[in-house]
Amino acid sequence: MNPRDLVLSPIAGPEVDPIDLTGAGPVTVGRSRECSVRLNDPAVSRRHAVFTRAGDGWAVTDAGSRHGVRVNSAPVAPGEPTPIGPGDRVRLGPWLFRVRDASAPSTIRSIDDTADAGTTRVSRIQIGDLASRRLDLLMRVARTIQDAEDETAVAAAVVRSLVEGSGFDRAAVIRPVRGLDEIEILAAHHRSEPSPIRPSRTLIRAAAAGGVARLEDQTDAQHAVSIVSANVASALCAAVTIGGETDAFVYLDGASSPHADAGAFCAAVADLCALAIANIRRRTLQRRQDRLLRDLETARRVQERLMPPAAGVVGPVRYALRFQPGRVVAGDFAGVRDLGAGRAAIFLGDVAGKGLGASLLMATIQARLDTLLETGAVLDEIVNRLNGYLAERTATGEFATLFACVLDAGAGTLACVDAGHGYAMLHRGGAAELLTCDGGPPVGVDPDTRYARTDVAFEPGDRLILMSDGVPEQPDPAGEQFGVDRAGRCLAGSADPESDVAGLVCALVGHTRRDSFADDVTILSIALR
């Protein structure tokens, strides 16, 4: 299936151009000039939201904004991608956007009769009891739209019932595309000879303010375009409100006089329409979330297969590993590779960001590292090549910290490169101390960076413990981080790689008071065989 391009059309808020979701993405939205789309408003964070490709469509992720992102009035959890599709509404600060298929049919413009509003009577209808003869029809409408599979089917059922039960000649369900001036018609129905419906902008604006509004011809309304030239004696409009926001309108007009209780009937049908559309969107969102969760679970299983087993022997070393994503998928990666001749490569890193994008970059880095290690190049050159490879292929903000080393058992040395990681500890003589090594910034930031290497003595009885930042930076319920010092005290009393890993995990659980963590946790401990 070809990926679908979408357009976010502003329907409320300050004047702004539509946002095109095309190409490979991502599309970043925020107040910063570095964002793909800049929305300059105090309620918009510097980096507010990120739109990414998700299967054959798109998903929106709250990038940690202050005021949040909402889809169909529901808040989006920060860092969690939420699929979006045509018909959805996305709230970013003061803006409300309608999601539309980029290939959707063209829209129409409402009749600009706002200049003549003073000569055209617009009245608010007070909703009372419906005439009993309408109740049966209303119940039939409720049953019909309850079984509708999509919003178009709901709109089609609504307009048929409106014409049948109101006395108006024509009915349509219309939806704002850009403000209230440009609209699309979801469905329309005519009592007799079809004729194009041209909604009055005056009436739409009155209905948008709340309730049901009615527009009637006046003898002195010679310039009321929507009434005179369109041969319309009366028109009526009601907002379809979902989650406190106007989503669409039901619009009726005709040359004949409608039933006396047409306004009450129209309001009741608009409410039923809102309920049906809201239910369809909840079901659609749930299906999308379920599908995304299945995809993420598949990605997690792939990640687990890419990581080494929980314990084992590789070349001259034995190791223990704990890999626990904070969410369904992780950005952490680790590996132990036999290089032959009594040598082994060990690495652990952390991709910036969360979710599926970070997990894909994690897999890319692991695969590239494996390829580079097979070339037999020295460690610092391997990291240089990895950095250049990533910097050429990733966007701003896509990078990874990395601690990589090569253990030479015969020489008793550990060659280390620290690319912005910082969380490596050397256990020696009953104490665990932070290991400070040369290196450089995270890989993928600057293609011209040249990384330095530090050689460290590594003898029988020594252990190297690598951690992702999810270990020292893991907060307790009060917000206090676990910290490097606490990790060192925990490791001081352990005797082998297995107890290193088990002891740290146990201490983390005690610190956080839960067995699931706020961030990815990866711990790798190695020792000579």
Side-chain angles (χ1 to χ4, degrees), residues 174-321:
I174 61 177
R175 175 172 286 160
V177 171
R178 190 170 184 180
L180 298 178
D181 299 344
E182 188 175 348
I183 59 175
E184 61 179 346
I185 297 177
L186 298 184
H189 188 66
H190 312 266
R191 184 182 301 280
S192 54
E193 189 68 25
S195 57
I197 192 166
R198 291 289 306 280
S200 159
R201 195 172 301 171
T202 301
L203 191 55
I204 296 173
R205 291 184 178 179
V212 181
R214 185 167 182 168
L215 188 70
E216 296 176 300
D217 187 18
Q218 299 296 293
T219 56
D220 59 347
Q222 297 301 316
H223 303 289
V225 179
S226 64
I227 299 300
V228 177
S229 64
N231 191 31
V232 172
S234 183
L236 187 149
C237 186
V240 176
T241 304
I242 300 174
E245 297 173 339
T246 300
D247 184 83
F249 297 90
V250 293
Y251 188 94
L252 304 91
D253 67 14
S256 56
S257 298
H259 300 314
D261 58 0
F265 180 73
C266 177
V269 172
D271 287 344
L272 288 174
C273 181
L275 288 172
I277 290 176
N279 286 333
I280 286 173
R281 288 180 182 166
R282 279 193 290 269
R283 293 196 301 267
T284 301
L285 182 59
Q286 186 61 54
R287 286 195 298 268
R288 291 176 187 163
Q289 295 284 30
D290 290 345
R291 184 174 63 182
L292 181 60
L293 185 59
R294 288 194 299 270
D295 291 343
L296 290 173
E297 289 174 343
T298 299
R300 176 171 181 164
R301 290 193 292 271
V302 171
Q303 279 190 303
E304 291 173 344
R305 291 196 294 269
L306 290 173
M307 299 287 273
V313 174
V314 176
V317 305
R318 65 188 181 97
Y319 73 89
L321 172 73

Side-chain angles (χ1 to χ4, degrees), residues 300 303-304 307 321-334 348 354 468-471 474 501 504-506 508-509 512 514-524:
R300 176 171 181 164
Q303 279 190 303
E304 291 173 344
M307 299 287 273
L321 172 73
R322 177 63 175 259
F323 169 60
Q324 183 169 332
R327 294 191 174 95
V328 179
V329 291
D332 288 358
F333 58 94
L348 188 147
K354 310 295 179 187
S468 64
D469 60 6
V471 176
Q474 200 73 223
V501 172
L504 274 176
V505 172
C506 183
L508 275 177
V509 171
T512 62
R514 59 175 183 260
D515 55 7
S516 61
F517 302 126
D519 196 4
D520 306 333
V521 167
T522 305
I523 306 167
L524 174 62

Side-chain angles (χ1 to χ4, degrees), residues 101-188:
D101 193 319
S103 60
S106 59
T107 59
I108 66 170
R109 294 185 65 82
S110 56
I111 296 176
D112 186 5
D113 55 354
T114 53
D116 307 307
T119 58
T120 303
R121 188 174 70 193
V122 177
S123 60
R124 299 295 171 101
I125 294 178
Q126 300 299 316
I127 307 303
D129 294 331
L130 283 172
S132 59
R133 64 181 181 275
R134 302 286 184 275
L135 293 180
D136 287 342
L137 176 58
L138 201 58
M139 294 302 295
R140 292 204 307 271
V141 175
R143 289 192 294 270
T144 300
I145 64 178
Q146 183 179 9
D147 297 331
E149 294 184 357
D150 55 36
E151 296 181 28
T152 301
V154 170
V158 163
V159 294
R160 287 194 298 269
S161 68
L162 286 171
V163 170
E164 182 179 353
S166 68
F168 280 97
D169 298 322
R170 302 183 302 183
V173 176
I174 61 177
R175 175 172 286 160
V177 171
R178 190 170 184 180
L180 298 178
D181 299 344
E182 188 175 348
I183 59 175
E184 61 179 346
I185 297 177
L186 298 184

Side-chain angles (χ1 to χ4, degrees), residues 384-433:
N384 286 335
R385 293 179 186 178
L386 175 65
N387 175 65
Y389 177 85
L390 293 176
E392 291 176 359
R393 292 165 174 80
T394 54
T396 301
E398 295 178 343
F399 57 85
T401 65
L402 170 69
F403 191 97
C405 54
V406 172
L407 172 62
D408 188 330
T413 59
L414 196 64
C416 306
V417 174
D418 187 349
H421 192 75
Y423 296 123
M425 304 194 80
L426 183 62
H427 190 289
R428 174 179 293 161
E433 301 289 343

